Structures are given as C-alpha cells and as structure tokens.
C-alpha cells in the first residue's frame, strides 16, 4: 500500500485516515481515482452526513464535484466516498457486505469494523492488479457477498460458498487467532490473509474454468473433482506432523484439496504483490548481499513469468528478515518457496495477468 499526501498541507497520510493529523482536513478515499482526497464541509453542516466538496487544492481540477461519506463511517470506520453517481447510502466496499452483527453486539461490531478495514485494503489491491469484483447486487448467481458474523452466539464457519464469503469475526480477536494459528501450525494467520484466501475461491471459476485453464490447473494442483469431504476427513484423520508438505505446498492447509491449494497460493501471491508494491511506493530497495543471495536461492526458469517477481521478493524478504531479527523479533517472512510452489505461483500470476491490461508491474506503484 502506498502512502498518500494531504492535498491541503502535504502531510503524509494513510489509506485508513479520515482526517489529516496535521491540518485536521477531513479526508476520504475516492475509489475511482484510488486517492485520498481532502474535503471541506459546507458551513453549518455535519461532516458525517452532509454533502461535502473537495477542498481548495482538489477543487481546481474537479470543479463542483461533491461527495458523500459512506453511511458506515462510524460502524465500519469507513472512509470511502460516494460520488453523485452512486445510489444508496453505502460505498462500493460496504455494499458488498450482506450480513453483519446486530447493533447490540458491541464486541462483534468492533471486530466487524476490523474486517471491513481489511476488506477495503483487499479491494484496493484488486483494483490495482486489475481483478474486477462483481457484487451480488449486480450478479445474483455469481457475484460476491460477504457475511461477517461472530461465532460467539452461533456457529460460524469461515469459508466460501458460490460467491458468498463468510468470516468468523472471532478471527479479529488477536488472542483467539494466535491460539488457532498455533493449533494449526501456521506461520501467518490474519484477517486480511483470510479474505485473500476466500476471494481466491471466488476467482477460481473465473480465472481457471472460464479461461479454459483446467488442464493446466490439474497438472500443478491435482484433480479438483475428488470429493471435498473425503479430502477433509483424510486431512484430519492423518494428523501428519511431518513437514514434507513444504516441498510442494505453500502451507500445510494447502495439502487439503486442490481448491485449498489454489486459494492458499492465490492468497500468498497477493501477499507478495502487496509487499512489493509497498516497498516500491516507499522506495525500499535491497542491495548486496540480499540480492546475490536471492539470485543464488532462485534462478528463474526460462518461461516462468513470475520469476522476476519472486526473485525481487526473495531479496526483499531476506533483507526484511534480517531487519526484524536485528530488533529482536523473529522472521517477518517465515516461508520457503519451493520450485513446485513457484510453479503454482506462476500459474496464478498468468491467470491474474492474462485478462489485465498491464501485467507484471503495478501501474500505480509510483502514485502518491
Ligand atoms: Zn493536512
Ligand atoms: Zn463504506
Ligand atoms: Zn478455502
């Protein structure tokens, strides 16, 4: 994620900000421009509900444009704007959420806001990469919808079903998530990671089936027509504590079923793209010896499109891991990317970039 600048005072501001911390200008995120714009509230109006116009510097190139804040400004900490063309009260991100906790579930609402924040970050990245997200309201059968529910009062399974993405909001409770992470033997477990995984399931029929890539998929990920239930039972019955999966899978969970392998690889691919995008936006470059080490670790095969991306990532994470250790923390990126995993990442990369205008590079990386 790139940093932004306050259009009024130039202060560095961030994706989630709704106010400039230096000059107090109200800020809002304009999705069509992938930009945080400074706003001014007409005299005597309330920022939360009033029509707001772009502040002085912004107004020069957008004369007379007025925006509204999303009605979920408070409940979802949403800073996205609606333009005059938008119908309804909710922004494009909040509209994708079909189910949320009740108004009296205080803890769940806090977790809901965290989940919405992660979802906005996900959508921003998908916009940059050029992967369209079609909502249930536009496509009743195949569109995506999010259901954010707390498992405190009912059974909630995080997962994906025909475009509907369900997230158990207890996943945004740090202690709970850390407990589950250790139980599952995972290196990472984050709300954003969950959403990246689940949206991977949503894209599978689009990027693989619709694009006639099922053959290629099966060669790398296996036959997805095997029974999901059998695979699930097998996975839990085995309880195999060995780490032999690292040779072929990005995570242990990926061994469960070819669809899970795809979703885990897809999520990891989004992590990599996001990490590289951020590094570029902040001008973080890694020099020797990390670059050499990355080159020695992985020489891209001829014809592997994702090669340069992986090499840049390995160099960067080598440096960042060393950085993290130098302040007494563990590795920031505790993953091994085997040759098989890189081949799967390459498949995802090809699927993702096939339909987009500008593959391989992040067009907006240099934007501020
Ligand atoms: Zn400012
Ligand atoms: Zn919103
Ligand atoms: Zn899954």
């Amino acid at each position: 994620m790139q940093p932004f600048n306050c259009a009024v005072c130039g202060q560095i501001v961030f994706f989630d900000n709704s106010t400039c911390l230096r000059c107090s200008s109200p800020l809002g995120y304009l999705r069509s421009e992938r930009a945080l714009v400074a706003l001014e509230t007409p005299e005597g109006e309330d920022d939360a509900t009033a029509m707001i116009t772009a502040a002085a510097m912004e107004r020069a190139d957008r004369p007379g444009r007025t925006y509204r804040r999303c009605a979920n400004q408070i409940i979802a900490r949403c800073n996205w704007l609606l333009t005059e063309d938008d119908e309804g009260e909710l922004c494009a991100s909040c509209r994708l959420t079909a189910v949320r906790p009740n108004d009296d579930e205080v803890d769940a609402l806090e977790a809901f806001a965290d989940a919405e924040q992660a979802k906005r970050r996900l959508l921003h990245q998908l916009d940059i990469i050029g992967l369209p997200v079609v909502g249930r309201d536009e496509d009743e059968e195949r569109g995506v919808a999010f259901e954010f529910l707390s498992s405190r009062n009912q059974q909630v399974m995080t997962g994906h079903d025909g475009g509907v993405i369900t997230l158990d909001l207890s996943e945004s409770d740090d202690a709970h998530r850390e407990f589950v992470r250790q139980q599952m033997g995972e290196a990472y477990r984050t709300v954003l990671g969950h959403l990246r995984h689940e949206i991977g399931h949503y894209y599978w029929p689009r990027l693989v089936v619709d694009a006639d890539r099922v053959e290629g998929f099966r060669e790398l990920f296996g036959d997805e027509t095997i029974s999901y239930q059998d695979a699930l039972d097998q996975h839990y019955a085995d309880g195999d504590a060995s780490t032999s999966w690292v040779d072929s899978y990005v995570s242990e969970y990926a061994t469960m079923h070819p669809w899970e392998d795809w979703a885990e690889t897809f999520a990891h691919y989004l992590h990599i793209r996001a990490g590289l995008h951020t590094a570029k936006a902040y001008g973080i470059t890694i020099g020797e010896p990390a670059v050499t080490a990355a080159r020695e670790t992985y020489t891209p095969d001829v014809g592997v499109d994702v090669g340069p991306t992986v090499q840049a990532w390995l160099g960067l994470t080598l440096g960042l891991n060393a950085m993290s250790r130098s302040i007494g923390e563990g590795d920031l990126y505790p993953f091994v990317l085997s040759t098989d995993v890189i081949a799967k990442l390459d498949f995802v990369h090809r699927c993702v970039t096939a339909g987009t205008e500008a593959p391989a590079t992040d067009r907006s990386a240099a934007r501020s």
Side-chain angles (χ1 to χ4, degrees):
M1 177 72 71
Q2 73 273 32
F4 300 86
N5 290 97
C6 170
V8 176
C9 75
Q11 168 83 3
I12 186 170
V13 287
F14 303 99
F15 183 64
D16 298 316
N17 290 161
S18 51
T19 315
C20 171
L21 290 177
R22 187 200 269 167
C23 74
S24 302
S25 292
L27 305 171
Y29 178 77
L30 195 54
R31 189 188 187 188
S32 56
E33 308 201 8
R34 291 183 216 140
L36 266 190
V37 294
L39 307 157
E40 69 185 19
T41 311
E43 203 77 25
E45 300 267 10
D46 173 5
D47 177 52
T49 53
M51 301 284 278
I52 31 190
T53 56
M57 284 175 69
E58 291 286 333
R59 210 190 291 158
D61 52 309
R62 290 191 214 93
R65 292 291 298 272
T66 62
Y67 307 105
R68 283 172 295 149
R69 283 213 185 271
C70 172
N72 276 1
Q73 186 192 5
I74 306 291
I75 200 164
R77 297 196 291 269
C78 182
N79 65 343
W80 284 28
L81 299 173
L82 284 78
T83 67
E84 287 152 302
D85 304 329
D86 285 309
E87 286 170 24
E89 299 294 306
L90 296 176
C91 74
S93 173
C94 291
R95 274 203 301 273
L96 295 175
T97 302
V99 180
R100 69 159 173 87
N102 293 319
D103 288 339
D104 57 357
E105 296 177 64
V106 180
D107 289 351
L109 283 176
E110 192 63 27
F112 162 72
D114 291 342
E116 287 291 351
Q117 202 162 342
K119 171 148 97 14
R120 290 192 293 276
R121 194 169 272 263
L122 172 74
L123 294 177
H124 173 81
Q125 183 185 21
L126 296 173
D127 285 348
I128 285 175
I129 287 180
L131 283 179
V133 180
V134 178
R136 212 72 171 171
D137 49 346
E138 285 174 62
D139 181 346
E140 249 177 68
E141 270 169 41
R142 295 188 11 146
V144 70
F146 291 81
E147 298 190 348
F148 292 143
L149 284 162
S150 171
S151 59
R152 189 168 286 191
N153 303 317
Q154 61 201 304
Q155 193 155 7
V156 180
M157 281 284 281
T158 295
H160 169 270
D161 186 7
V164 178
I165 291 172
T166 305
L167 179 77
D168 174 6
L169 288 172
S170 64
E171 286 292 337
S172 67
D173 180 89
D174 293 343
H176 171 84
R177 195 179 58 251
E178 178 58 19
F179 174 74
V180 179
R181 186 188 72 77
Q182 290 192 13
Q183 294 258 304
M184 305 278 287
E186 296 169 336
Y188 275 14
R189 193 175 179 92
T190 64
V191 172
L192 181 56
H194 277 302
L195 296 180
R196 284 181 173 151
H197 171 106
E198 303 305 342
I199 205 82
H201 287 304
Y202 161 79
Y203 282 118
W204 189 81
R206 284 161 187 76
L207 300 180
V208 179
V209 181
D210 293 358
D212 217 5
R213 292 170 183 272
V214 175
E215 286 288 286
F217 173 84
R218 285 181 187 157
E219 274 172 31
L220 289 165
F221 295 83
D223 182 0
E224 83 291 352
T225 59
I226 57 164
S227 153
Y228 196 89
Q229 194 55 49
D230 288 354
L232 206 74
D233 293 344
Q234 183 84 34
H235 180 84
Y236 288 112
D238 283 358
D240 183 5
S242 82
T243 52
S244 57
W245 57 265
V246 293
D247 295 336
S248 311
Y249 301 90
V250 73
S251 70
E252 194 193 358
Y253 190 72
T255 64
M256 183 114 87
H257 188 277
W259 277 334
E260 296 310 332
D261 194 8
W262 159 268
E264 285 289 273
T265 310
F266 187 89
H268 206 87
Y269 175 75
L270 293 188
H271 285 329
I272 292 175
R273 290 284 300 263
L276 285 173
H277 179 241
T278 303
K280 193 172 174 188
Y282 281 83
I284 300 170
T285 52
I286 302 289
E288 301 291 338
V291 169
T292 311
R295 241 182 252 130
E296 281 165 6
T297 315
Y298 174 62
T299 313
D301 295 333
V302 177
V304 179
D305 290 358
V306 85
T309 304
V310 166
Q311 210 171 58
W313 179 240
L314 290 177
L316 180 68
T317 53
L318 248 159
L320 294 178
N321 283 349
M323 187 74 196
S324 186
R325 278 181 234 150
S326 72
I327 55 168
E329 288 284 345
D331 282 350
L332 183 73
Y333 183 75
F335 291 92
V336 177
L337 298 181
S338 68
T339 309
D340 285 0
V341 169
I342 293 169
K344 289 175 188 176
L345 285 168
D346 184 60
F347 181 81
V348 171
H349 181 68
R350 286 165 192 261
C351 290
V352 166
T353 53
T356 56
E357 307 140 36
T361 51
D362 289 324
R363 274 167 289 152
S364 67
R367 284 178 68 130
S368 61

